[in-house]
Amino acid sequence: MKAGLVLEGGAMRGLFTAGVLDVFMEHGLVFDGLVGVSAGACFGCNYKSRQSGRTIRYNKRFAKDPRYCSWTSLFTTGDLFNAEFCYRELPLKIDPFDNAAFVANPMAFHVVTTDCKTGRPVYTRIDSVDETALDWIQASASMPLVSRPVAVGGGLHLDGGLSDGIPLKYFESIGYARNVVITTRPHGYRKFPSAKIALLKPFLRKHPAIYRALRTRHEWYNATLEYIDRRVAAGAAILIAPEAPLPISRVCHDPDRMQRVYDLGRAAGEKALQKVVSFLSA
């Protein structure tokens, strides 16, 4: 019976997830597969490469660096998180991603993106982090309006959180019967429709399917949360979530705040550790 890790996104809220994952790594927890969305993909890849501490290290190091995330980057490149720096220079040169360890680890790694033409989720397995794989990871974390769509796989893609932000059903559909789900919102959180989304329509006129996805996201997201609760009650999943709203916004330039959220994740990971160990060995 295969065991999986399912990781929600949330941009800098994903540092909570990074804290949980580092605790799991330090205790040698092994999963058969991982599926990550947005920050869950960007940070989750370090679980397969077994690089504990890498996520918080580079985020704090470059928190105030305009090359990493800035309005300057948005206005000059079209991406709030500079694509060339974040998905090329940083992982390949500055704080190298260990692709050899990633390839050697038999755990399957999947990322979720949203197809700009259909507004539907696309699930991609990555076995080696080459330039195409980095494009898929970038696409998974490319938020509308502050990111350019990423051309990869013969189409244009944006943030996977627009169409399947917590892909538990997908992982179950491909054979992962036991799953640990890590969210970056507290248990009990629900999304509500927002009239402000209508203001985005002119900016998304080239991608009407993305606009439609934004309009309906609260519906499937809340249904997913209810499904997770049912799977937890059935003993088929464990949910690890913050105890309260995380004290960080989607974008953050404060290293101390980043550390605080990461530490909350570590505390949650330590608290859930024995339960997860028992779950995986059952």
Side-chain angles (χ1 to χ4, degrees):
M1 188 180 296
K2 293 196 296 185
L5 263 175
V6 180
L7 309 181
E8 185 180 22
M12 286 301 140
R13 293 198 311 271
L15 291 171
F16 172 86
T17 301
V20 177
L21 296 183
D22 282 357
V23 169
F24 285 5
M25 275 190 269
E26 291 158 14
H27 286 83
L29 270 61
V30 176
F31 293 82
D32 299 298
L34 182 157
V35 58
V37 182
S38 192
C42 293
F43 301 161
C45 60
N46 295 296
Y47 197 82
K48 183 168 165 63
S49 64
R50 312 305 289 179
Q51 289 177 276
S52 177
R54 180 173 180 268
T55 296
I56 187 62
R57 180 176 66 240
Y58 74 72
N59 273 283
K60 289 178 65 177
R61 178 181 176 185
F62 297 107
K64 299 181 180 181
D65 192 321
R67 296 175 300 170
Y68 184 49
C69 173
S70 67
W71 292 112
T72 299
S73 174
L74 178 62
F75 294 143
T76 58
T77 72
D79 294 303
L80 185 64
F81 286 85
N82 186 288
E84 183 62 29
F85 183 79
C86 295
Y87 299 100
R88 293 296 186 270
E89 190 172 352
L90 196 160
L92 300 178
K93 298 177 181 178
I94 299 174
D95 194 331
F97 180 77
D98 191 343
N99 189 50
F102 183 94
V103 172
N105 187 339
M107 182 184 75
F109 181 78
H110 303 249
V111 302
V112 185
T113 60
T114 299
D115 188 306
C116 289
K117 185 176 181 179
T118 66
R120 300 292 300 164
V122 175
Y123 307 97
T124 302
R125 175 167 170 165
I126 293 173
D127 296 315
S128 178
V129 180
D130 55 15
E131 290 197 2
T132 300
L134 288 168
D135 286 342
W136 281 115
I137 294 171
Q138 176 190 344
S140 184
S142 291
M143 299 177 286
L145 303 183
V146 294
S147 306
R148 295 169 298 169
V150 178
V152 63
L156 294 176
H157 298 258
L158 281 169
D159 192 337
L162 300 171
S163 55
D164 192 1
I166 315 174
L168 174 59
K169 282 188 177 181
Y170 166 71
F171 235 31
E172 290 182 336
S173 76
I174 61 171
Y176 292 87
R178 292 181 297 158
N179 292 282
V180 174
V181 181
I182 305 177
T183 65
T184 58
R185 298 285 195 182
H187 182 243
Y189 170 83
R190 292 294 185 270
K191 285 188 183 295
F192 294 95
S194 172
K196 293 180 180 179
I197 291 177
L199 300 176
L200 304 181
K201 189 172 185 179
F203 300 99
L204 293 170
R205 60 186 180 279
K206 293 183 179 179
H207 303 292
I210 295 297
Y211 176 70
R212 290 194 296 271
L214 283 167
R215 288 290 299 265
T216 60
R217 180 167 58 162
H218 66 282
E219 297 173 359
W220 63 255
Y221 184 86
N222 293 341
T224 297
L225 294 176
E226 293 166 3
Y227 180 76
I228 291 170
D229 284 347
R230 294 197 297 273
R231 299 305 287 157
V232 170
I238 289 177
L239 173 65
I240 300 176
E243 293 182 353
L246 292 170
I248 198 167
S249 58
R250 294 180 69 86
V251 177
C252 177
H253 301 287
D254 182 349
D256 293 336
R257 191 174 293 271
M258 291 178 174
Q259 184 69 49
R260 199 175 313 145
V261 171
Y262 171 80
D263 289 343
L264 287 170
R266 287 194 63 91
E270 293 283 2
K271 183 177 180 179
L273 185 62
Q274 290 306 314
K275 184 176 182 180
V276 173
V277 169
S278 298
F279 182 70
L280 294 177
S281 61

